[in-house]
Amino acid sequence: MNILGIETSCDETAAAVVADGRRVRSNVIASQIELHRAHGGVVPELAARGHVTAILPVIERALDDAGASEKDVEVIAVTAGPGLAGALLVGMNVAKALAYAWGKPLVPVNHLEAHVYANWLTFPDDQAVLPPPELPAVCLLVSGGHTELILVEDHGRYRHLGRTLDDAAGEAFDKGARLLGLGYPGGPAIQEAARDGDPRRHDLPRAWLGESDDFSFSGLKTALLRLVDPYRLPAPDPRRSPSTPFAEHRPPSFRDDLPRVDLAAAFQEAVVEVLAVKTAGAVRREGARSVLLAGGVAANRALRERVMREVECVAPEVPVRVPRLELCTDNAAMIAGAAYYALRRGEQAGWEADIAPRLPLVSTS
Ligand code: KG4
Ligand code: ZN
């Protein structure tokens, strides 16, 4: 069964064709990073407008790449939430229009669930096609908006083990990068800077929060701010440089001796260590049969390696699955993949389908 997936929840306009919930036939992603870079973060209205102009060419390209036409597509799947309301509306309305015009079923998809299902996807050029992950699985879902440790008991059945009490892991990377005067988005910028850094030169705190599986990153951010502050140069008088409309997004200037790469390495290690150790602890406690990483932060190399190391220590027989890089950050293949399993549970929408910007990950079976 070929499903056309559409994703517009944040700053990527994406469409993909996936067969039987697993085989990616095309995966097209138009990133809006350049649109938002000048503002240091995603501007919701710009995101929605960007989706309006990009969505139809992106869908056309996804069909072309898959060698598919209207008659090959059996289902239209679209992200219903969580995400930015204006951005989600663009995808939902396009999906409804296509489903109506082509006479196909419409399946609304939970974006968080879709990140989990990125671990089911395979590509034609994969060296080996892995079997689907074994359940129950512990999934660490880490993105710009979410940090959740989840037990995937079965398809559509989730138990929350822990979540962030303040910033999401990706948000922590983004804010940390901003404090260090690194680029946007912050995760890749910190990863790159950290490559040449020594994580042991600076001591940053870890919020273990006792035995709980919850996370907290706000203390870490404050500690980084304290370390960076002495190196900050006074901000120029805004009246003398009126060309930047968003004064608060002007990158800070630092003294040349700011130990940027060491701080980036220490910051990355502090985030990654807590995520990996808590994930491994949950795997052992819950008797999970696999470990899944998901979300934009799962693209982080240090996180991937550390989770593998920690799980190897406590449960060497449990495999760790990590999606390809382009399936960690937002994409539509994961939407089409998740829709296949949702459809098997009978989740299909009528024309009253609506977006749900604050949709949580809840069990549906
Ligand atoms: O899943 P995603 O694309 O969008 C959301 O649904 O939020 O995740 C985006 C987040 C951003 O915060 C970005 O900084 C982070 O993922 N990210 C990374 C890396 N690549 C993207 N964080 C750490 N290391 C990376 N390599
Ligand atoms: Zn996402």
Side-chain angles (χ1 to χ4, degrees):
M1 171 188 284
N2 286 320
I3 300 186
L4 171 67
I6 296 172
E7 152 67 34
T8 62
S9 68
C10 190
D11 59 345
E12 327 277 358
T13 314
V17 177
V18 175
D20 303 326
R22 296 209 68 202
R23 281 178 291 119
V24 180
R25 294 186 52 190
S26 66
N27 186 34
V28 179
I29 304 168
S31 169
Q32 296 182 355
I33 283 181
E34 290 313 318
L35 198 62
H36 302 288
R37 196 187 294 280
H39 308 291
V42 178
V43 182
E45 159 135 6
L46 290 183
R49 287 164 172 246
H51 291 312
V52 168
T53 51
I55 188 73
L56 291 179
V58 164
I59 291 173
E60 223 169 10
R61 171 88 190 278
L63 291 171
D64 270 5
D65 286 1
S69 67
E70 168 196 333
K71 64 177 186 334
D72 304 310
V73 172
E74 284 148 275
V75 175
I76 313 283
V78 64
T79 308
L84 302 169
L88 289 166
L89 274 173
V90 177
M92 177 59 82
N93 283 323
V94 168
K96 274 189 184 181
L98 282 180
Y100 183 75
W102 293 353
K104 315 277 177 180
L106 176 72
V107 178
V109 174
N110 183 317
H111 181 90
L112 301 176
E113 181 170 66
H115 271 301
V116 176
Y117 274 97
N119 285 286
W120 268 252
L121 298 174
T122 65
F123 283 81
D125 62 347
D126 276 350
Q127 282 172 351
V129 175
L130 294 172
E134 285 195 49
L135 302 179
V138 163
C139 178
L140 176 68
L141 170 49
V142 269
S143 69
H146 295 269
T147 297
E148 320 222 4
L149 199 57
I150 302 155
L151 186 67
V152 184
E153 294 173 324
D154 201 347
H155 289 283
R157 253 198 17 243
Y158 309 100
R159 180 146 63 82
H160 285 274
L161 304 174
R163 52 166 56 93
T164 182
L165 304 180
D166 38 59
D167 292 345
E171 197 180 352
F173 271 108
D174 293 337
K175 289 179 177 171
R178 200 175 307 168
L179 285 176
L180 289 170
L182 292 165
Y184 162 85
I190 289 201
Q191 169 168 297
E192 189 53 33
R195 252 177 15 156
D196 304 319
D198 177 357
R200 282 169 298 271
R201 274 193 53 204
H202 299 278
D203 210 14
L204 285 169
R206 274 83 166 140
W208 292 110
L209 307 178
E211 293 293 296
S212 117
D213 281 336
D214 287 334
F215 304 94
S216 165
F217 299 108
S218 64
L220 175 61
K221 192 182 57 194
T222 311
L224 181 66
L225 176 69
R226 290 223 180 87
L227 289 176
V228 162
D229 239 7
Y231 296 91
R232 205 186 284 269
L233 294 171
D237 183 344
R239 286 165 303 185
R240 284 166 168 259
S241 51
S243 57
T244 312
F246 298 93
E248 69 271 28
H249 296 307
R250 191 178 290 119
S253 316
F254 296 101
R255 281 179 7 211
D256 288 343
D257 57 345
L258 172 73
R260 194 177 263 127
V261 295
D262 292 334
L263 286 170
F267 185 83
Q268 175 173 269
E269 191 167 286
V271 175
V272 159
E273 182 178 329
V274 178
L275 291 173
V277 169
K278 291 202 177 206
T279 302
V283 170
R284 195 181 46 176
R285 193 187 59 232
E286 302 295 337
R289 298 174 71 183
S290 53
V291 183
L292 314 176
L293 291 188
V297 183
N300 185 276
R301 210 176 309 117
L303 177 65
R304 291 165 172 243
E305 287 167 6
R306 188 70 189 257
V307 169
M308 290 194 189
R309 237 174 46 226
E310 297 293 337
V311 172
E312 173 76 32
C313 283
V314 299
E317 70 290 356
V318 178
V320 177
R321 301 281 281 254
V322 188
R324 272 194 195 200
L325 288 184
E326 75 243 52
L327 296 178
C328 288
T329 45
D330 288 347
N331 65 87
M334 68 183 193
I335 304 300
Y340 176 80
Y341 296 95
L343 195 63
R344 287 212 317 203
R345 301 193 293 272
E347 291 174 32
Q348 191 183 322
W351 302 125
E352 76 289 350
D354 199 359
I355 57 159
R358 301 176 70 81
L359 187 66
L361 180 63
V362 285
S363 297
T364 51
S365 66

